[in-house]
Amino acid sequence: MRSLLSTVSIDIHAAQCKNCTKWRVIDMQEAFEEIRCKAFEEPFHCSLKANCSCDDPTDIEYDSSRTWVIDKPNLPKTPQGFRRIILVLRKDYSKLDPYYISATGKRLRTSNEIAAYLKDHLECKGIAPTNFDFSSPKIMQDTVPENVDQEDSVSANKKVKIAKDDI
């Protein structure tokens, strides 16, 4: 049985203005992905959001009232008919699991699963496996809740090297 934490996913998308550095809520995941996939060529600025300018107050504050994760810029936009989902997998917030859901509801967790799905579904013609990216966003550690014990899990996951003389 999965824990409640593993059902937590991204619930707000935001982009930071290159000019004023204010955070703007992006209402739809598709619009956010459009901004993200062009981050280098066309950096986001407030005027790209309807009825918004750098003079307006920020939409959302970067603070520890929520856990922030930052996607890599220029990830490909999710192809039509698919949704990119990111779940928190560990209670110490050390692992995120990005995956895709197809139009048929199938959960696709790896590049190999994507390739097989595209091959088996003719309606996906024109969509390449390279249109999908399984990179995990970076967890902004300064926004992880204080009650989350991160040190124990980090040290527990480290491999210990034992010298031959110690055996």
Side-chain angles (χ1 to χ4, degrees):
M1 184 170 150
R2 292 189 151 220
S3 70
L4 178 60
L5 189 60
S6 68
T7 63
V8 176
S9 65
I10 308 297
D11 61 348
I12 297 174
H13 293 87
Q16 189 175 33
C17 177
K18 181 182 180 192
N19 300 331
C20 68
T21 68
K22 292 177 183 173
W23 287 96
R24 301 296 178 197
V25 172
I26 308 302
D27 295 326
M28 295 180 55
Q29 181 175 351
E30 186 175 329
F32 170 77
E33 289 187 4
E34 186 70 33
I35 292 165
R36 184 193 63 209
C37 78
K38 298 177 181 177
F40 291 138
E41 308 88 63
E42 299 174 27
F44 177 78
H45 49 88
C46 292
S47 62
L48 292 174
K49 184 175 175 180
N51 303 314
C52 187
S53 78
C54 290
D55 296 330
D56 296 331
T58 190
D59 291 351
I60 188 169
E61 293 288 340
Y62 177 89
D63 60 22
S64 61
S65 64
R66 63 184 43 82
T67 301
W68 286 69
V69 297
I70 307 289
D71 250 335
K72 291 180 180 179
N74 284 30
L75 290 181
K77 186 176 175 186
T78 301
Q80 188 79 24
F82 292 85
R83 281 191 42 224
R84 185 172 187 251
I85 306 290
I86 299 170
L87 293 178
V88 176
L89 282 185
R90 295 187 182 148
K91 63 183 176 181
D92 66 354
Y93 286 66
S94 65
K95 177 83 169 130
L96 297 176
D97 182 27
Y99 65 90
Y100 291 86
I101 297 179
S102 72
T104 62
K106 180 153 177 68
R107 191 178 287 201
L108 305 164
R109 296 185 177 274
T110 67
S111 297
N112 289 341
E113 287 180 9
I114 290 284
Y117 183 88
L118 295 176
K119 183 180 176 186
D120 293 344
H121 292 82
L122 298 176
E123 68 274 13
C124 296
K125 187 176 180 179
I127 300 175
T130 56
N131 295 127
F132 300 85
D133 191 291
F134 290 92
S135 299
S136 292
K138 179 181 178 183
I139 301 168
M140 304 310 290
Q141 294 300 318
D142 58 336
T143 66
V144 172
E146 289 181 16
N147 63 341
V148 173
D149 186 15
Q150 295 178 359
E151 288 210 37
D152 290 341
S153 64
V154 171
S155 61
N157 290 332
K158 287 184 180 177
K159 292 183 179 178
V160 177
K161 187 174 182 179
I162 300 173
K164 286 184 180 180
D165 296 340
D166 293 342
I167 299 176

